[in-house]
Amino acid sequence: MTTLTRRGWRGDKRTEPEEDAAADRELPDDDSDNSKAPRLTLMEEVLLLGLQDKEGYPSFWNDCLSPGLRGGILIELALRGRIHLEPLTARKKRLLDRKVLLKSAAPTGDVLLDETLRHIKASESTETVQTWIELLTGETWNPFKLQYQLRNVRERVAKGLVEKGILTTGKQSFLLFDMTTHPVCDTTEKQRLLRKLQDSVLERWMGDPRRMDRRLLALLVLAHASDVLEKALGSLEDTQYEMAMSRAKDVLEADAELEAAQGRGTEVIWAVLAAFSRA
């Protein structure tokens, strides 16, 4: 108990840079059985779940992956202590009405995260989680807001996975065009990720979203939002699959407003889920 209560103690409150550094250190994929595995961002995990291993690209029919990756950026920034939602007020009680506020502009070291931070900082008006997902995806009719679009997100996330030795780079020729592909070369890491997500609703299931690890909760929400959840659970046996989907459904259909109010540090996660549920 003494060790836990004194961790990070400096005789007074930690400064913002110290809090940001602490948040960045709390990124672990908390797999105690594989501590040497590369640390992945939520965006990298979601893309890896969506890729077809040998082909190196996601399904052409999946039009949810791009906005899902943008939702992952916002959640990742929240978990790293860079953004948060404005406090509850009498007029703004709903998650989707509350604006995203910049808590710290300290660089994260990730290009996409830092570019998004600059957009949020430079924005003349505060926006909601749903609006930021739309702006970052480029789904806006306001020409003055197009500057906030994040371009080539999928390719940039894939590049990060290539640098970490999980994907490789190739080229696929189609009838009218050639496309850069990123086949999975580290299947061990892909299987570890699948196992982590599957275990979150099987072996590690606690029956209560508030007791879930925040990053596992976020991964479950983003896998659903990006339309890759069923694919990720598809390798399970029928009985396990039905149980896993039922438990995932319990989380994804929970009252986001109530869960956000009572789950520590999960407001942006639930706001992202609410945004995709409303879409």
Side-chain angles (χ1 to χ4, degrees):
M1 180 178 294
T2 303
T3 303
L4 291 174
T5 56
R6 291 184 61 85
R7 180 173 296 175
W9 176 254
R10 297 290 186 276
D12 54 9
K13 288 183 66 177
R14 288 186 295 186
T15 63
E16 274 196 8
E18 289 174 325
E19 290 178 350
D20 297 336
D24 288 337
R25 285 195 298 270
E26 289 172 3
L27 283 182
D29 296 333
D30 28 329
D31 299 82
S32 57
D33 60 330
N34 196 357
S35 59
K36 293 184 179 180
R39 291 182 177 181
L40 305 184
T41 64
L42 289 168
M43 304 86 75
E44 290 171 337
E45 291 183 331
V46 170
L47 180 63
L48 189 53
L49 289 174
L51 285 178
Q52 302 176 77
D53 291 7
K54 294 182 179 180
E55 292 82 352
Y57 52 83
S59 168
F60 287 124
W61 309 111
N62 187 339
D63 58 358
C64 299
L65 186 56
S66 289
L69 290 174
R70 271 70 171 187
I73 290 173
L74 295 178
I75 293 176
E76 189 75 51
L77 286 173
L79 293 181
R80 295 194 186 203
R82 300 311 196 272
I83 63 172
H84 63 103
L85 295 186
E86 64 182 340
L88 284 167
T89 66
R91 292 185 178 181
K92 294 185 178 180
K93 294 182 178 180
R94 296 174 62 251
L95 282 171
L96 294 183
D97 292 335
R98 293 161 64 188
K99 309 292 187 179
V100 173
L101 301 181
L102 186 67
K103 183 177 180 182
S104 169
T108 65
D110 181 277
V111 176
L112 282 171
L113 296 180
D114 291 342
E115 184 176 341
T116 304
L117 272 180
R118 289 193 295 272
H119 286 329
I120 294 174
K121 184 178 180 179
S123 177
E124 295 180 356
S125 61
T126 54
E127 306 290 355
T128 65
V129 163
Q130 184 168 19
T131 300
W132 269 118
I133 292 174
E134 293 169 355
L135 291 175
L136 296 173
T137 309
E139 296 178 353
T140 176
W141 293 102
N142 187 341
F144 297 104
K145 297 285 188 178
L146 288 174
Q147 59 183 313
Y148 298 124
Q149 180 181 4
L150 293 179
R151 301 184 182 277
N152 304 317
V153 168
R154 191 182 301 178
E155 182 65 26
R156 291 158 76 184
V157 174
K159 182 179 177 182
L161 289 168
V162 170
E163 292 173 352
K164 292 177 180 179
I166 298 171
L167 302 181
T168 187
T169 302
K171 185 165 287 188
Q172 178 75 41
S173 295
F174 293 93
L175 185 61
L176 299 176
F177 62 94
D178 291 338
M179 183 176 72
T180 300
T181 61
H182 296 285
V184 177
C185 60
D186 185 350
T187 56
T188 301
E189 178 61 20
K190 176 73 175 278
Q191 290 303 313
R192 185 193 69 83
L193 176 59
L194 288 169
R195 192 166 57 249
K196 181 175 75 170
L197 180 59
Q198 293 169 359
D199 285 352
S200 71
V201 286
L202 289 174
E203 302 299 327
R204 299 185 185 182
W205 178 245
M206 297 183 178
D208 184 352
R210 298 170 205 168
R211 298 175 61 192
M212 290 184 70
D213 173 82
R214 289 185 300 169
R215 294 189 71 82
L216 283 176
L217 174 63
L219 181 59
L220 181 63
V221 166
L222 291 170
H224 165 70
S226 304
D227 197 21
V228 298
L229 181 59
E230 290 190 25
K231 178 177 181 290
L233 301 178
S235 62
L236 295 170
E237 295 181 358
D238 288 349
T239 303
Q240 287 185 315
Y241 175 80
E242 291 175 6
M243 180 182 295
M245 288 300 295
S246 176
R247 289 174 174 176
K249 185 178 179 181
D250 288 342
V251 174
L252 300 170
E253 294 184 354
D255 186 332
E257 304 287 345
L258 179 62
E259 298 301 331
Q262 300 192 30
R264 182 186 66 82
T266 61
E267 284 188 317
V268 174
I269 299 175
W270 291 108
V272 167
L273 177 61
F276 281 99
S277 298
R278 182 179 178 179

